[in-house]
């Protein structure tokens, strides 16, 4: 459908939506089944209510997440992956797991770089 390296490619917008920090965490959190808003917020520590709402709205609009309202007082809203969401989450799972497994190595590389930076003249 195009080349994501070109600025006008629709894939670039979709990549922005699914590759953002909160989207990756929301999609990954939903891979084990539907969750309600407060369950997602509790599972994804550090996400604000506003950012979670915005991320969910985008993922629902893009067709990755399904929003289900159960009539009750008050209404219960849950979020689950759609077929598209399951597909992209399967791909994200490898990235998510790799980053989790190598976070220590990345932090060590950052620390090494930061220690050497002043000696290299700051640049």
């Amino acid at each position: 459908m195009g080349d994501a390296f070109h600025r006008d490619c629709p894939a670039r917008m979709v990549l922005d939506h699914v590759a953002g920090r909160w989207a990756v965490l929301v999609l990954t959190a939903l891979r084990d089944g539907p969750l309600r808003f407060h369950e997602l917020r509790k599972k994804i520590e550090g996400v604000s209510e506003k950012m979670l709402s915005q991320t969910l709205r985008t993922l629902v609009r893009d067709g990755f997440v399904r929003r289900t309202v159960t009539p009750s007082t008050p209404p219960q809203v849950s979020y689950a992956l759609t077929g598209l969401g399951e597909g992209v989450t399967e791909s994200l799972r490898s990235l998510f797991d790799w980053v989790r497994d190598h976070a220590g190595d990345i932090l060590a590389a950052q620390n090494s770089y930061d220690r050497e930076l002043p000696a290299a003249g700051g640049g």
Side-chain angles (χ1 to χ4, degrees):
M1 171 157 202
D3 183 350
F5 290 104
H6 293 170
R7 79 173 133 230
D8 297 330
C9 180
R12 187 180 278 195
M13 178 264 311
V14 175
L15 187 60
D16 266 353
H17 291 179
V18 299
R21 167 178 46 167
W22 299 121
V24 169
L25 292 172
V26 167
L27 291 166
T28 304
L30 291 173
R31 72 181 175 197
D32 293 328
L35 292 172
R36 293 181 58 197
F37 184 89
H38 75 276
E39 293 171 323
L40 272 169
R41 186 149 184 246
K42 185 176 180 181
K43 188 169 188 155
I44 304 170
E45 294 181 5
V47 67
S48 69
E49 190 170 316
K50 178 182 176 185
M51 186 51 59
L52 181 56
S53 293
Q54 188 176 9
T55 301
L56 285 166
R57 194 174 311 115
T58 299
L59 293 173
V60 168
R61 182 173 181 257
D62 288 347
F64 295 116
V65 172
R66 178 178 37 261
R67 181 180 186 267
T68 303
V69 180
T70 304
S72 61
T73 306
Q76 293 186 359
V77 180
S78 65
Y79 298 90
L81 295 175
T82 63
L84 280 174
E86 289 173 2
V88 76
T89 301
E90 190 57 38
S91 297
L92 289 173
R93 176 182 228 158
S94 298
L95 174 64
F96 186 85
D97 291 346
W98 186 92
V99 169
R100 182 200 58 220
D101 294 345
H102 293 87
D105 298 329
I106 296 164
L107 290 174
Q110 290 172 348
N111 288 333
S112 175
Y113 177 87
D114 292 346
R115 278 193 310 273
E116 295 171 9
L117 188 60

